[in-house]
């Protein structure tokens, strides 16, 4: 577990506290309405509620989307939703660090909250600079001059070396918020001396990330087995020398992942028997599911799921596990005929007594859709940051908070 200060180490009553949360949510491209409020709820019910109840003057910083993208929208809806969650007003201020924002901050009373304009409206927000460089920006200087404390709670944005992510940590006494703590505690439980056997179930479309994660968890003795499915399963299967057939090989080519095969081979040779690939698959014959053994490959049809034998083999490993990480569904679960692999594997994870951690947008959506949300031990609200963490990278915000704690600047 990284070492940094938390809300337990500070007295916030009457203090002006800047809080960086991650409210970035899926948005309907047509109506521009937020489609899911998981992150708003998570921060609202923990860190923001606590700060407000303890009498802090709470100034919330958050981003939504990327400039130019359809989900780059103002944060007024987020403020409204947060206010419903907290049961008290949260004023949206359509300014980030100009006169309007500064006046709103000065006028705050104990326990009150405001949400400032999308941090990505500041043109240099996403420039990757180190904390000290960002701390010198006008944005950070102006807001920091009005605040007593910075609380970083946006674990899911902690992999970005952005101004509002790392800049304030270099400029103000800084601590981690409750979501940051919670995510890191859960992740540390599976990455630092996990209870064994420890398995990683890697599916979904991002085969390149799966390779990086596999490399980290196998080379460092974290995982006992890596079970592959989805496009990850395709690629790892191809690395064993299996020709998957035209549509499937074309998919891998389109995703530009075929050149990862030598690296996968090397990893498999280094850890014999530890990386499991499907032994059978489900192909899509005009909407119909047909299961075939990998001995019957290549196929002219698309592979959309793992087959029954693979499911059985994986479930046996899952049943014996004491720690499980799931990132990416094993099949195209959105299509009923091809949801079997995802359903049965995720049910086995939910039934197991292991500490189970699931993360990533599609994985979490599948877990919720299957009604298994309450049965897994921990659901991470992070996407890219989770992947980075699982690959063993030091996240810039974590590094900055650790440095701040060393200086004991609170
Ligand atoms: C996320 O949703 O993963 C974070 O908010 C980071 O967003 P980004 O990938 O646009 O930086």
């Amino acid at each position: 577990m990284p070492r940094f200060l938390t809300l337990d180490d500070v007295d916030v009553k009457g203090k002006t506290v800047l809080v960086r949360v991650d409210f970035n949510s899926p948005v309907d491209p047509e109506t521009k309405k937020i489609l899911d409020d998981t992150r708003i709820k998570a921060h609202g019910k923990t860190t923001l509620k606590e700060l407000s109840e303890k009498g802090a003057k709470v100034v919330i910083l958050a981003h939504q989307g990327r400039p130019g993208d359809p989900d780059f929208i103002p944060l007024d809806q987020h403020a409204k939703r947060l206010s419903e969650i907290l049961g008290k007003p949260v004023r949206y201020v359509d300014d980030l660090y100009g006169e309007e924002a500064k006046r709103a901050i000065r006028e705050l009373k104990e326990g009150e909250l405001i949400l400032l304009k999308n941090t990505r409206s500041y043109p240099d927000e996403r420039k990757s600079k180190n904390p000290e460089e960002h701390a010198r920006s006008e944005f950070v200087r102006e807001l920091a001059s009005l605040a007593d404390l910075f609380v970083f709670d946006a674990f899911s944005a902690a992999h970005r070396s952005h101004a509002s992510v790392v800049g304030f940590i270099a400029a103000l006494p800084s601590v981690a918020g409750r979501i940051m703590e919670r995510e890191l505690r859960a992740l540390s439980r599976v990455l630092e001396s996990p209870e064994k056997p420890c398995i990683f179930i890697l599916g979904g479309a991002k085969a390149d990330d799966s390779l990086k994660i596999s490399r980290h968890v196998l080379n460092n003795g974290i995982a006992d087995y890596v079970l592959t499915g989805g496009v990850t399963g395709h690629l790892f299967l191809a690395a064993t020398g299996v020709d998957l057939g035209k549509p499937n090989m074309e998919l891998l080519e389109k995703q530009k992942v075929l050149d990862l095969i030598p690296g996968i081979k090397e990893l498999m040779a280094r850890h014999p028997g530890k990386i499991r690939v499907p032994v059978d698959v489900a192909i899509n014959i005009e909407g119909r599911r047909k299961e075939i053994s990998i001995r019957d490959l290549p196929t002219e049809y698309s592979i959309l799921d793992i087959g029954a034998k693979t499911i059985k083999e994986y479930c046996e490993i899952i049943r014996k596990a004491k720690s499980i990480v799931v990132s990416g569904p094993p099949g195209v679960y959105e299509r009923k005929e091809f949801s079997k692999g995802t359903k049965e594997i995720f049910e086995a994870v939910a039934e197991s007594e292991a500490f189970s951690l699931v993360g990533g947008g599609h994985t979490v959506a599948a877990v919720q859709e299957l009604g298994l949300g309450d049965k897994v031990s921990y659901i991470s609200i992070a996407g890219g940051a989770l992947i980075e963490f699982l690959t063993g990278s030091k996240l810039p915000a974590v590094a900055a908070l650790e440095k701040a704690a060393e200086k004991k600047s609170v």
Side-chain angles (χ1 to χ4, degrees), residues 22 24 39 63 65-66 120 126 156-157 159-160 162 382-385:
D22 188 356
N24 195 27
R39 286 178 173 174
H63 75 277
R66 298 175 185 173
R120 291 184 177 177
R126 291 168 69 229
S156 46
H159 59 316
R160 305 288 185 215
H162 293 172

Side-chain angles (χ1 to χ4, degrees), residues 381-392:
I381 57 168
L386 172 71
I387 302 287
E388 292 271 326
F389 201 84
L390 293 177
T391 62

